[in-house]
Amino acid sequence: MLDVCLFGAGLIGQVHAANLARHPRVRLRYIVDPNREAASKVSALTGAEIADTQTVMNDRSIRMVFIASATRTHADLAMAAAASGKAIFCEKPIDLDLKRTDQCLAAVEKAAVPFQIGFNRRFDPSFRALNARLAQGEIGAVEQVIITSRDPEPETEEALAGGGGVFREMTIHDFDMARNLLGEEPVELFATGSSLVAPHYAKLGDYDTAMFVLRTSSGRQCHINNSVRAAYGYDQRIEVHGADGMLRAGNRMPTSVEMSGAKAISRDKPYYFFVERYAESYAAEIDHFITCVETGRRPEVTASDGRKAMILCEAALASAKSGRFETVRF
């Protein structure tokens, strides 16, 4: 039984807290969040003790930390945990600044502690099955990847202002999936963004609607489309086209029941948001990390993956401003 600490009692922190509390091989000892009310809620649900950062870092019995706090705290917490010899699971992004990200990763590498970045979509059962069949050569050489990722509704102005923007907070997942599915690193990227949904996105210099084209050195292509509005629910689809066919992973729905009538055929809408849609993937990524710490295996999703996804985010921001393809340098 490994003792662990969770930093962050917000929405994603609550998801991780529930999965940690019911995991048979760990004990959620501590919850850390400056919002006492949020921390108390997680504590009441899981039995974790409310603590401060210094207490956690000084407690040698804590083998792992799960960082799901505000983005601006990720790097500092990861470096402190590394210095304390603790394994680190960190939500994306590591930091909004690439130099700061590199400082953090250098500290983690020096400490030689396990580190996994929270790209949960890699662990979604459907996406994982698609990738496995792709690796088996079922559709031959990859030619095109199409990723659709649309949230059901925009963020509030307050939440948007406190984050890193749509590309760094939302598209970063899609960039990671693109790298994972293309089989080659992108070398060029084009991005275009608009404000069509909520005026506060433009007010804050951000985009609520965007499209991206990535190209590898051999000419493989990926198209990503993002929107913060989908009237029908959380729209998450992937299509990979290859020399011998196509693989597709569609939306997940509460049930597979269809009603066929004289006027129409109907079925459930997709799950409304990420908590429901990716419930299995969040549990699976945590189990994977715990297993890696127990066995000494290297996590499938590493600090390098987090860094490369951030480089794609920066290239996308530059392209959206310049209107040109940007060269990607990892």
Side-chain angles (χ1 to χ4, degrees):
M1 183 71 71
L2 301 175
D3 284 350
V4 306
C5 170
L6 173 65
F7 290 92
L11 183 55
I12 189 60
Q14 292 171 30
V15 172
H16 290 323
N19 285 323
L20 289 168
R22 58 176 166 253
H23 198 283
R25 303 197 305 278
V26 299
R27 178 174 58 165
L28 181 56
R29 280 270 310 283
Y30 297 125
I31 175 69
V32 180
D33 195 299
N35 184 327
R36 189 75 181 188
E37 182 179 351
S40 295
K41 180 178 179 181
V42 170
S43 175
L45 291 172
T46 64
E49 178 185 342
I50 299 173
D52 58 42
T53 300
Q54 200 59 49
T55 297
V56 173
M57 298 307 172
N58 289 339
D59 190 336
R60 293 186 178 182
S61 70
I62 299 298
R63 294 278 304 281
M64 290 182 281
V65 298
F66 290 79
I67 302 172
S69 47
T71 298
R72 65 182 180 277
T73 68
H74 289 183
D76 284 341
L77 289 172
M79 287 189 286
S84 300
K86 304 181 192 305
I88 304 159
F89 178 98
C90 183
E91 274 298 331
K92 54 75 197 166
I94 297 167
D95 194 84
L96 299 179
D97 179 77
L98 193 56
K99 288 183 179 179
R100 183 67 170 159
T101 298
D102 287 342
Q103 290 174 357
C104 176
L105 299 191
V108 170
E109 185 175 355
K110 181 180 179 180
V113 294
F115 184 102
Q116 181 174 319
I117 193 76
F119 284 139
N120 66 292
R121 296 182 191 182
R122 296 262 199 119
F123 297 89
D124 174 75
S126 295
F127 294 169
R128 203 166 177 83
L130 183 153
N131 203 14
R133 293 170 69 170
L134 191 64
Q136 292 165 6
E138 192 167 329
I139 61 169
V142 173
E143 296 171 352
Q144 292 181 324
V145 175
I146 300 171
I147 299 174
T148 295
S149 180
R150 301 178 183 135
D151 283 357
E153 59 187 50
E155 285 193 285
T156 64
E157 184 171 349
E158 180 184 11
L160 187 66
V166 169
F167 290 8
R168 296 189 186 101
E169 301 282 2
M170 178 180 178
T171 318
I172 192 169
H173 278 292
D174 303 312
F175 286 148
D176 179 66
M177 289 303 300
R179 290 186 55 246
N180 192 229
L181 295 169
L182 281 167
E184 300 174 353
E185 296 289 7
V187 296
E188 288 186 307
L189 186 155
F190 176 79
T192 181
S194 303
S195 181
L196 304 175
V197 179
H200 59 265
Y201 280 79
K203 175 183 174 182
L204 295 170
D206 207 345
Y207 311 102
D208 55 38
T209 308
M211 287 190 173
F212 311 83
V213 175
L214 289 72
R215 188 162 56 205
T216 71
S217 59
S218 72
R220 294 181 182 184
Q221 303 167 356
C222 175
H223 170 258
I224 299 168
N225 63 89
N226 285 163
S227 175
V228 301
R229 175 172 60 194
Y232 46 87
Y234 193 44
D235 193 359
Q236 301 285 296
R237 291 173 281 136
I238 289 178
E239 182 180 296
V240 182
H241 181 263
D244 300 324
M246 179 179 70
L247 289 165
R248 178 189 294 157
N251 281 316
R252 299 284 300 276
M253 300 166 193
T255 76
S256 60
V257 177
E258 284 191 359
M259 193 286 289
S260 298
K263 294 183 178 180
I265 296 174
S266 64
R267 60 179 179 176
D268 290 355
K269 292 190 296 184
Y271 280 111
Y272 189 72
F273 209 28
F274 72 89
V275 174
E276 299 83 14
R277 167 61 180 84
Y278 285 118
E280 293 167 299
S281 71
Y282 284 118
E285 69 173 352
I286 280 182
D287 184 68
H288 173 75
F289 182 59
I290 292 167
T291 300
C292 287
V293 173
E294 290 173 328
T295 62
R297 285 169 42 196
R298 179 182 173 87
E300 289 183 22
V301 191
T302 66
S304 175
D305 293 309
R307 183 182 187 276
K308 288 179 177 180
M310 268 299 295
I311 289 173
L312 291 171
C313 290
E314 297 306 308
L317 287 166
S319 176
K321 292 177 181 177
S322 71
R324 300 187 300 269
F325 265 94
E326 293 288 331
T327 300
V328 177
R329 294 184 177 88
F330 293 121

